[in-house]
Amino acid sequence: MNNNIHHPGAASRLWQNDDELFSIVRNELYTAVVGDIMDQMGLLRQFLPPQIQPLHSNMIVAGRAMTVLEADVITSPAAAGRNDVLQLPFGLMLEALDDLKKNEVYICSGASPSYALWGELMSTRAMQLGAAGAVVDGYSRDTKGILQLNFPTFSYGRYAQDQAPRGKVIDFRVPLEIRGVRIMSGDIVFGDMDGVCIVPQEAAAEVFARAIEKARGEKMVQQKILEGMSAGQAFKQFGIM
């Protein structure tokens, strides 16, 4: 899959590749405006549950999903099982982590929220690979270290209990579903202090072109209101509020 975007029309004039797109997203957009555009396009179930929040309010994640499937596993010497993956300390977690590419987001689900799915050493490796962030349907730990790294990490919050004896990664780059939101590898993950939304890759060009236009229009409307224009006048003239 070629993750560099080259689209005809308005989108191609706004960005030529993922680096340019994600720079615009981080600097000009916010999840509310992207969510509004997806609502208008009939994409009504694209926000992950509100429990998934950034470890720090200034963290922004924008990148392509690298999906990771976790499962609860009871570790017992007497229960060898038939799946060799389950005999590994973390299952396929290390393989998944090392497979991260530039501008990708490690996004993990499938486990019960009773242990941490992300930590400082994982953040360090992800940063080395050029990854954009981590979004986990559960907890993260090593919070002080992650904050010092300033690696965009979105989770249920801080909880130190380790995944090693409790859960394992059983596959990656496979379809995920988090509370009814379908996530495919290559979809765009965008998160800020208001939450995390998933933009399907087949709709991304239109979603972001329209979101950029709306965000820039809102700035103009805000300036008109600051200059004294009423809300009613602003909406009548610009159709934005």
Side-chain angles (χ1 to χ4, degrees):
M1 178 180 65
N2 181 5
N3 285 342
N4 284 335
I5 302 174
H6 296 278
H7 293 296
S12 65
R13 294 192 293 272
L14 292 168
W15 69 85
Q16 295 298 317
N17 52 52
D18 277 1
D19 287 339
E20 293 180 8
L21 171 61
F22 297 139
S23 178
I24 294 171
V25 172
R26 286 190 296 267
N27 289 300
E28 295 191 45
L29 298 184
Y30 39 96
T31 53
V33 72
V34 173
D36 289 352
I37 294 299
M38 288 195 285
D39 283 347
Q40 293 171 14
M41 293 172 60
L43 300 169
L44 303 179
R45 299 195 68 180
Q46 302 305 129
F47 270 92
L48 300 186
Q51 292 89 345
I52 300 177
Q53 291 287 319
L55 287 182
H56 192 284
S57 61
N58 68 3
M59 288 181 171
I60 297 172
V61 64
R64 291 192 177 272
M66 198 284 276
T67 56
V68 179
L69 182 61
E70 182 101 6
D72 293 343
V73 175
I74 298 173
T75 301
S76 169
R82 296 175 177 82
N83 189 336
D84 291 340
V85 168
L86 301 185
Q87 307 312 310
L88 300 172
F90 301 98
L92 297 176
M93 188 198 79
L94 300 177
E95 287 83 350
L97 182 62
D98 285 337
D99 198 54
L100 277 168
K101 306 296 191 295
K102 181 183 178 184
N103 290 325
E104 287 192 328
V105 178
Y106 184 103
I107 182 165
C108 179
S109 185
S112 61
S114 59
Y115 47 87
L117 298 170
W118 190 259
E120 179 184 9
L121 292 180
M122 296 176 74
S123 298
T124 303
R125 177 58 174 154
M127 289 181 71
Q128 185 183 50
L129 295 170
V135 175
V136 298
D137 187 21
Y139 291 95
S140 56
R141 68 180 200 166
D142 307 322
T143 307
K144 182 178 180 180
I146 294 174
L147 291 175
Q148 288 175 340
L149 292 170
N150 196 31
F151 185 72
T153 300
F154 289 67
S155 70
Y156 285 13
R158 305 176 294 275
Y159 189 45
Q161 184 153 265
D162 192 17
Q163 66 176 299
R166 301 173 179 89
K168 299 180 189 293
V169 170
I170 59 174
D171 210 347
F172 58 96
R173 297 194 183 278
V174 293
L176 290 184
E177 189 168 289
I178 300 177
R179 309 283 182 87
V181 180
R182 180 66 59 88
I183 308 155
M184 306 292 290
S185 283
D187 288 347
I188 293 180
V189 182
F190 178 35
D192 59 19
M193 65 190 300
D194 285 332
V196 180
C197 62
I198 305 298
V199 182
Q201 56 185 325
E202 64 272 13
E206 181 178 356
V207 169
F208 285 112
R210 291 174 59 176
I212 291 165
E213 180 182 16
K214 187 173 191 290
R216 292 175 179 175
E218 286 179 352
K219 291 290 186 184
M220 179 176 60
V221 169
Q222 183 181 38
Q223 183 58 41
K224 292 297 183 182
I225 291 174
L226 289 171
E227 292 170 1
M229 181 178 285
S230 71
Q233 288 175 315
F235 186 74
K236 182 176 180 180
Q237 182 170 342
F238 301 106
I240 296 174
M241 183 55 60

